[in-house]
Amino acid sequence: MQAAAAARPPGCGPAWLDDARHQALRAFMERGLPDTREELWKYTALRALQQQAYAPCDEDAASRSVADDLLRLDGCAGPRAVFVNGTFRVDLSRLDNLPEGLTLQPLSEAMQRQSEPLRFLLAARADEDEDGLTLLNRALAADGLIVRVADGVRASQPLHVVHVGASAGSAVGWHLRDLIELGEGASLAVVEHHVGDDASGHLANLVRGVTLRANAHLDWTVVQRASRNTTLLRRTDCVLHDHAELDFHALELGGKLARHELRVDLAGARARFASRGAFVLDGRQHADSEVLVTHRGRDTLSDSLWRGVAGDRARGVVHGRILVQPGADGSDGGFYNKNLLLSPTAEIDTRPALEIYADEVKANHGATVGQLDENVLFYLRSRGIPLDTARRMLVRAFCAVTLDGIQPASLREFCETLLAEQLPETEA
Amino acid sequence: MLKIENLHARVAGKEILKGLSLEAKSGEVHAIMGPNGAGKSTLGNVLAGRPGYEVTQGTVTFDGNNLLEMEPEVRAAAGLFLAFQYPVEIPGVNNTYFLRAALNAQRKARGAEELDSMQFLKLVRERVKEMGMTPDLLNRAVNEGFSGGEKKRNEVFQMAVLEPRLAILDETDSGLDIDALKQVAEGVNRLRSPERSFLVITHYQRLLDYIVPDFVHVLADGCIVESGDATLAKELEAHGYAWVRDRTPAEAQA
């Protein structure tokens, strides 16, 4: 892993970018990959990555054919941006007819044509809480998506962002950097979609920054059905200004190891964040959902509801943290997580955490881990429903609450179908 | 249709049924009465195949097939139905969706064509009307937030939709007020037919005023100790279960 990073001299950009990359790479070499001694990585070990060699890019990414069926998603007929093995594919994307006020540019193109406006993003000094993966991303990110919505513009159709993992000669490690910025009063829906037939065991390291100016609204849905060989590591940092709103949905079904660290900074007064998420795991899959909310503005709201299901020898991790900073008086935060184990060898670790440094704050959390109710299973079977179907029904019912708010309805229905199809084995 | 011979069954290591025999023919209604702890509900659960109920001896055949070897869902598809004493709540599973899945699973297992949603809705609306149920129960999660009476009525409603050949009612009358009891009994009576049999498990005689059985059996300490026609229930009501207990040894000796 480290060798692979070193083998690729980042550069061929402007001097400041080369400097920034070299600096990040040095910092990474010093720091290394996150390990389980780090609080946010306690239950997710990256040891396997260190033994794996990843090609720094897929030379054929631009020409790999991808079936259109793979890219299609119900409810997403509008603009589409497609990445194949970490490379932006203009031929598969649909970026003509973007509504006025919505601009979208691949990072690779932006860096070639006019990198100066991105200097604030790409050459910014690393934050103290940036881990090794983020540093590595700073050093190596070759592509990504820059999305901007102008003040007051309300995009009517969701933006469909597809990440395809396609089988290549060897495992590829790619690093993408996204920036999403909504101006005052702007609104946008993003559907992030991970798919692929990746048999090579790729590694994707995605780092995203999201800024919502005052009164902006972002509706973000993640449909993650990456191949079972893929390692998918994502970190998203969101900043919400006054009255800004973020509605986040996630359905995590794929990947060998899929982690998402979602950080939400409710910086402005009355900013609101709601998240609904579920993972359903089988085999030896590992999923880690980190939802880290910071209330900084007054009267800010956060409300998270997550469900985890694990069968066979799968391992799930849910970490919900609500931090209320001094001055964030009147904040109201909640994190609720229920989990279902379908086999004696499956494991889910859930950690809700509250840290409160302000007054007149409401904060709640709750977490449970349980099993399917034998009485309910028998009730369904006694009506003629086979055991397998009965289990599917109950798993689907267990997670349904997290899909309820997904828009449009056709996308929600598609997610319900995906969920029904993914039934983990109940015995080891 | 149903033949139980010398049935012994254990729950949590404790023997509850101790040599129970019973035969129910097509079209017959059998009432099983008895004091608490006699094994009435155990009988219902053993017949429906509830996990944790271990049969240690005896046989049960249903239409000539070994019932005890079948999975619960196979028993249901073969035409057996248990109306639960304590129907479970299933949050997140819609009542209509659940019933359609159940009916179609049974039809599929029997090699019949599955009903599409139009056909199914038509059937369900008819049954709802017959049962005097409020239609909005259909759009709610299975039994979630239902009152005790609504849950019991929902059991009989499911029975009306699934049209079993053998229905076992496990204390369906418990916790019902007189109006609900009558409605449930009417629902059952409407389903009585020469092709369908019932085992009506009850603690009280009251239900049998409305569902008049062909046979009444008294279950005590895991065995049937007395059988008779509908008048037996009246005598039990008059004299109490102690009457049977006191009488039985003498008769057994005779």
Side-chain angles (χ1 to χ4, degrees):
Chain A
M1 176 85 206
Q2 302 205 351
R8 185 187 187 203
C12 76
W16 61 261
L17 183 54
D18 289 350
D19 282 351
R21 286 188 186 282
H22 281 295
Q23 205 180 335
L25 193 58
R26 278 195 300 274
F28 167 73
M29 292 308 209
E30 212 168 284
R31 178 127 193 210
L33 286 170
D35 68 37
T36 51
R37 281 169 300 184
E38 290 177 47
E39 179 64 15
L40 299 178
W41 292 86
K42 196 170 171 187
Y43 298 105
T44 298
L46 296 179
R47 279 186 301 271
L49 296 188
Q50 271 154 332
Q51 275 128 47
Q52 172 74 45
Y54 293 98
C57 71
D58 174 12
E59 302 289 350
D60 301 317
S63 58
R64 292 199 184 278
S65 67
V66 177
D68 197 50
D69 271 359
L70 204 61
L71 301 176
R72 213 177 298 137
L73 190 62
D74 288 359
C76 299
R80 179 169 84 187
V82 179
F83 292 84
V84 175
N85 290 352
T87 297
F88 179 71
R89 287 281 295 267
V90 68
D91 56 319
L92 301 173
S93 300
R94 253 189 330 243
L95 299 176
D96 34 358
N97 294 326
L98 289 180
E100 197 164 327
L102 170 64
T103 56
L104 200 150
Q105 199 180 23
L107 181 68
S108 49
E109 189 187 296
M111 284 193 296
Q112 258 174 14
R113 282 195 195 162
Q114 210 184 6
S115 55
E116 196 58 29
L118 292 171
R119 195 164 169 167
F120 79 97
L121 174 73
L122 300 172
R125 198 193 284 248
D127 285 339
E128 279 191 2
D129 61 1
E130 283 189 16
D131 58 32
L133 279 168
T134 318
L135 294 170
L136 197 58
N137 184 285
R138 280 180 178 279
L140 301 178
D143 217 332
L145 212 51
I146 312 293
V147 180
R148 285 198 170 92
V149 186
D151 290 353
V153 170
R154 311 184 77 81
S156 56
Q157 284 184 303
L159 168 64
H160 184 196
V161 182
V162 196
H163 294 277
V164 183
S167 286
S170 60
V172 180
W174 66 80
H175 306 264
L176 297 178
R177 187 79 187 263
D178 295 340
L179 176 70
I180 298 177
E181 199 171 359
L182 271 62
E184 287 188 13
S187 80
L188 177 70
V190 172
V191 179
E192 173 188 331
H193 186 195
H194 298 267
V195 287
D197 62 351
D198 158 33
S200 319
H202 300 319
L203 163 71
N205 179 20
L206 278 50
V207 174
R208 290 85 65 95
V210 175
T211 303
L212 306 183
R213 302 281 171 209
N215 296 302
H217 179 229
L218 176 63
D219 188 295
W220 188 343
T221 304
V222 176
V223 180
Q224 194 271 99
R225 40 179 188 145
S227 114
R228 293 283 178 91
N229 291 308
T230 305
T231 299
L232 180 58
L233 303 168
R234 291 154 291 173
R235 169 171 171 155
T236 306
D237 282 89
C238 308
V239 180
L240 277 68
H241 295 276
D242 291 358
H243 294 267
E245 299 186 322
L246 171 60
D247 283 297
F248 180 84
H249 285 90
L251 180 60
E252 301 270 344
L253 302 174
K256 179 172 75 180
L257 191 169
R259 184 178 187 274
H260 188 197
E261 184 174 318
L262 175 63
R263 292 167 172 263
V264 178
D265 179 3
L266 299 170
R270 294 191 180 278
R272 181 185 68 83
F273 164 64
S275 73
R276 300 285 180 271
F279 56 71
V280 182
L281 310 174
D282 195 5
R284 287 173 172 269
Q285 281 183 292
H286 182 116
D288 183 349
S289 296
E290 305 275 325
V291 182
L292 312 171
V293 183
T294 303
H295 290 259
R296 281 204 294 142
R298 293 182 69 98
D299 303 313
T300 44
L301 296 172
S302 75
D303 162 34
S304 297
L305 197 71
W306 286 71
R307 294 282 187 267
V309 180
D312 201 356
R313 307 179 70 85
R315 181 94 185 260
V317 182
V318 183
H319 181 200
R321 188 180 74 190
I322 297 172
L323 169 64
V324 183
Q325 295 283 26
D329 300 345
S331 296
D332 186 344
F335 189 91
Y336 303 94
N337 171 228
K338 284 187 186 176
N339 301 287
L340 203 53
L341 295 177
L342 298 182
S343 115
T345 47
E347 182 179 330
I348 296 180
D349 296 287
T350 171
R351 290 185 297 161
L354 299 177
E355 282 177 59
I356 298 168
Y357 304 103
D359 301 322
E360 290 171 57
V361 168
K362 275 200 281 182
N364 281 297
H365 62 68
T368 60
V369 180
Q371 291 163 335
L372 284 178
D373 186 329
E374 287 297 329
N375 290 320
V376 176
L377 274 177
F378 174 62
Y379 190 80
L380 293 171
R381 296 177 75 191
S382 79
R383 298 302 180 249
I385 298 171
L387 182 58
D388 187 59
T389 314
R391 285 187 180 131
R392 272 173 213 270
M393 242 183 206
L394 296 181
V395 168
R396 188 167 119 165
F398 183 75
C399 297
V401 63
T402 66
L403 305 180
D404 282 347
I406 291 180
Q407 299 280 357
S410 53
L411 179 60
R412 189 196 67 234
E413 283 160 19
F414 180 77
C415 288
E416 284 171 356
T417 309
L418 282 183
L419 189 60
E421 285 167 0
Q422 174 124 343
L423 175 81
E425 290 298 321
T426 45
E427 295 302 328
Chain B
M1 175 179 284
L2 178 73
K3 195 169 184 184
I4 305 170
E5 283 183 302
N6 190 31
L7 185 64
H8 292 249
R10 279 202 300 218
V11 184
K14 191 175 173 221
E15 187 163 52
I16 306 286
L17 297 183
K18 303 171 181 172
L20 185 146
S21 297
L22 176 74
E23 184 167 5
K25 295 198 168 68
S26 220
E28 294 176 351
V29 176
H30 291 250
I32 313 277
M33 301 186 69
N36 288 327
K40 301 190 301 292
S41 287
T42 299
L43 175 62
N45 283 315
V46 166
L47 293 178
R50 191 181 201 114
Y53 288 72
E54 187 196 352
V55 174
T56 52
Q57 210 183 323
T59 58
V60 181
T61 58
F62 183 50
D63 289 333
N65 299 312
N66 183 352
L67 187 74
L68 301 176
E69 274 184 354
M70 303 179 189
E71 295 292 333
E73 55 269 34
V74 177
R75 300 181 195 205
L80 187 139
F81 179 90
L82 172 68
F84 280 53
Q85 184 178 4
Y86 304 108
V88 297
E89 299 193 7
I90 317 180
V93 177
N94 172 281
N95 222 350
T96 311
Y97 170 79
F98 153 70
L99 255 185
R100 188 178 161 207
L103 182 64
N104 278 337
Q106 291 196 17
R107 292 179 69 95
K108 195 176 166 192
R110 290 196 289 260
E113 207 164 304
E114 297 180 34
L115 297 188
D116 64 31
S117 51
M118 292 303 285
Q119 294 167 314
F120 179 75
L121 272 181
K122 187 167 171 279
L123 170 75
V124 156
R125 287 206 184 104
E126 282 170 18
R127 296 292 183 269
V128 162
K129 222 164 131 188
E130 288 166 9
M131 284 299 302
M133 297 221 328
T134 32
D136 76 288
L137 288 188
L138 286 173
N139 299 320
R140 285 161 58 182
V142 180
N143 291 324
E144 193 184 32
F146 285 26
S147 70
E150 282 174 333
K151 282 181 185 169
K152 295 301 179 79
R153 219 175 308 176
N154 196 26
E155 292 293 286
V156 179
F157 166 67
Q158 289 175 23
M159 181 169 80
V161 172
L162 297 173
E163 300 182 313
R165 299 191 49 247
L166 171 67
I168 304 160
L169 278 60
D170 187 3
E171 303 212 12
T172 301
D173 52 338
S174 67
L176 292 186
D177 63 29
I178 193 69
D179 292 331
L181 183 79
K182 279 185 186 172
Q183 260 174 328
V184 162
E186 276 169 25
V188 171
N189 286 331
R190 202 174 296 116
L191 290 168
R192 284 180 79 154
S193 90
E195 289 81 40
R196 186 172 291 131
S197 313
F198 290 85
L199 287 190
V200 182
I201 296 170
T202 178
H203 188 73
Y204 299 105
Q205 180 262 339
R206 195 177 58 163
L207 178 66
L208 305 180
D209 286 342
Y210 302 100
I211 305 173
V212 181
D214 301 304
F215 301 94
V216 174
H217 309 276
V218 181
L219 187 59
D221 195 26
C223 300
I224 286 175
V225 293
E226 179 98 26
S227 295
D229 60 15
T231 58
L232 178 59
K234 303 262 185 217
E235 286 187 65
L236 281 170
E237 183 73 2
H239 305 292
Y241 289 115
W243 168 71
V244 179
R245 212 161 45 222
D246 297 341
R247 238 157 53 100
T248 316
E251 284 199 355
Q253 283 159 22

